[in-house]
Amino acid sequence: MIETISKKLAPTGILRVGINMSNFLLINGKDSDGSPDGVSPDIGKKLARELNLKCKLVQFKKPGLLADAVNKDMWDIGNIACEKERSKMIDFTDPYVNIDANFMFRKKDNFKTNDDINSREIKIAVLERSAYDLWLTENFKNVELIRVNTIEESHQLFREDKVNVLAGLKPKLIEEIKTNDDFKMINSPFTYIKQSIGIKKGTPEILDFLNKFIKKLIKEGYVESLLKKHNVQNKLSIPSIY
């Protein structure tokens, strides 16, 4: 079983793991040889060991670029957030971690709920083609999404009062709020970022194997140990398994 999956998924004997370098929660440093370090690389390395394969981390600056490369023979698995639009091109596993995505605003606007924001024609800063950008594009029709190339640019737009609302990952928003008493966050996430393993479409047997692999990692406490190892146990949540 393992040998068959290995040959189908990575026929070269090297598992090429696509990594989204912009996700600061899952990539939080470099290891001794200068390679990306964090929860996402460790998941890729763990899978390579499970399949008796060598591991190569393929770096992408943004998640959209990783998704675009699905049919370009640049990666065998892509550690990226599962999202409806991306699912048209990529088969996704169940998530191995979840990340809250929330709204931040200025106190004078006095938003109470996420729906309050959607009911007004306002400007929201987002990271272009992030999972939460794609979600907002589909679900928030009354707002103007101001898309930028980096998370820092989205925060800068908000700081400069060029947008009414900043959409982002909750831990980063909490850090921003600490810098300005006028900033406030709606505590209820508008969506959850489901960090998953993506593969090319058309191999259900590989997808089934990967789902069982993730379920085992969660059940045995391996994912929890990774969150503690990288000091993100209070910033990420572990999905429920059934």
Side-chain angles (χ1 to χ4, degrees):
M1 174 65 174
I2 292 290
E3 185 177 354
T4 300
I5 295 295
S6 297
K7 287 182 177 179
K8 285 188 176 182
L9 185 59
T12 64
I14 300 174
L15 182 68
R16 298 170 298 171
V17 182
I19 299 292
N20 167 26
M21 296 299 293
S22 71
N23 194 320
F24 58 93
L25 294 171
L26 299 176
I27 308 290
N28 54 9
K30 295 183 178 180
D31 62 20
S32 57
D33 66 1
S35 298
D37 191 28
V39 173
S40 183
D42 280 354
I43 290 288
K45 293 174 184 177
K46 178 72 170 177
L47 177 59
R49 291 194 296 271
E50 185 83 4
L51 294 172
N52 299 314
L53 295 168
K54 295 180 180 179
C55 182
K56 178 182 179 181
L57 302 179
V58 183
Q59 302 177 38
F60 293 86
K61 290 184 178 180
K62 295 191 294 184
L65 297 177
L66 194 162
D68 288 344
V70 61
N71 293 316
K72 297 179 181 179
D73 195 30
M74 296 176 68
W75 50 262
D76 302 307
I77 67 166
N79 287 356
I80 187 176
C82 174
E83 195 283 325
K84 184 176 180 181
E85 184 66 23
R86 293 175 186 161
S87 294
K88 296 176 181 178
M89 304 182 299
I90 299 171
D91 281 337
F92 286 102
T93 65
D94 297 329
Y96 53 85
V97 292
N98 289 329
I99 314 171
D100 292 356
N102 296 64
F103 289 130
M104 187 169 72
F105 61 96
R106 288 174 176 79
K107 290 180 179 178
K108 64 180 175 61
D109 288 322
N110 199 32
F111 297 122
K112 300 296 185 184
T113 69
N114 295 321
D115 286 339
D116 289 342
I117 292 174
N118 192 27
S119 66
R120 307 184 187 191
E121 293 184 358
I122 60 174
K123 295 180 179 180
I124 303 178
V126 295
L127 173 65
E128 183 179 24
R129 296 186 67 195
S130 60
Y132 50 89
D133 172 21
L134 298 174
W135 189 92
L136 288 169
T137 299
E138 182 176 1
N139 294 280
F140 272 46
K141 302 298 186 181
N142 301 321
V143 301
E144 181 180 357
L145 298 176
I146 308 300
R147 298 177 174 89
V148 293
N149 289 322
T150 68
I151 291 174
E152 179 54 34
E153 285 180 64
S154 68
H155 281 249
Q156 191 63 33
L157 275 181
F158 183 78
R159 293 185 203 118
E160 295 173 354
D161 205 12
K162 294 180 179 178
V163 293
N164 310 91
V165 173
L166 172 62
L169 303 182
K170 186 175 183 179
K172 187 74 170 179
L173 298 183
I174 291 173
E175 291 179 11
E176 188 71 54
I177 288 172
K178 292 177 181 177
T179 70
N180 192 318
D181 291 338
D182 190 41
F183 297 167
K184 190 174 181 180
M185 182 176 66
I186 295 178
N187 288 327
S188 176
F190 63 85
T191 190
Y192 296 92
I193 311 302
K194 299 177 181 179
Q195 193 67 24
S196 307
I197 295 176
I199 58 173
K200 293 179 182 180
K201 282 191 166 294
T203 52
E205 68 281 8
I206 293 178
L207 190 65
D208 180 64
F209 173 85
L210 292 175
N211 273 323
K212 290 176 180 176
F213 168 75
I214 287 174
K215 185 175 182 179
K216 182 176 73 170
L217 295 191
I218 293 174
K219 185 176 181 180
E220 294 179 353
Y222 182 76
V223 174
E224 182 180 9
S225 72
L226 286 186
L227 301 192
K228 292 178 179 178
K229 172 186 174 183
H230 297 289
N231 198 30
V232 289
Q233 65 269 32
N234 297 322
K235 299 179 179 180
L236 301 171
S237 60
I238 300 174
S240 300
I241 56 174
Y242 302 95

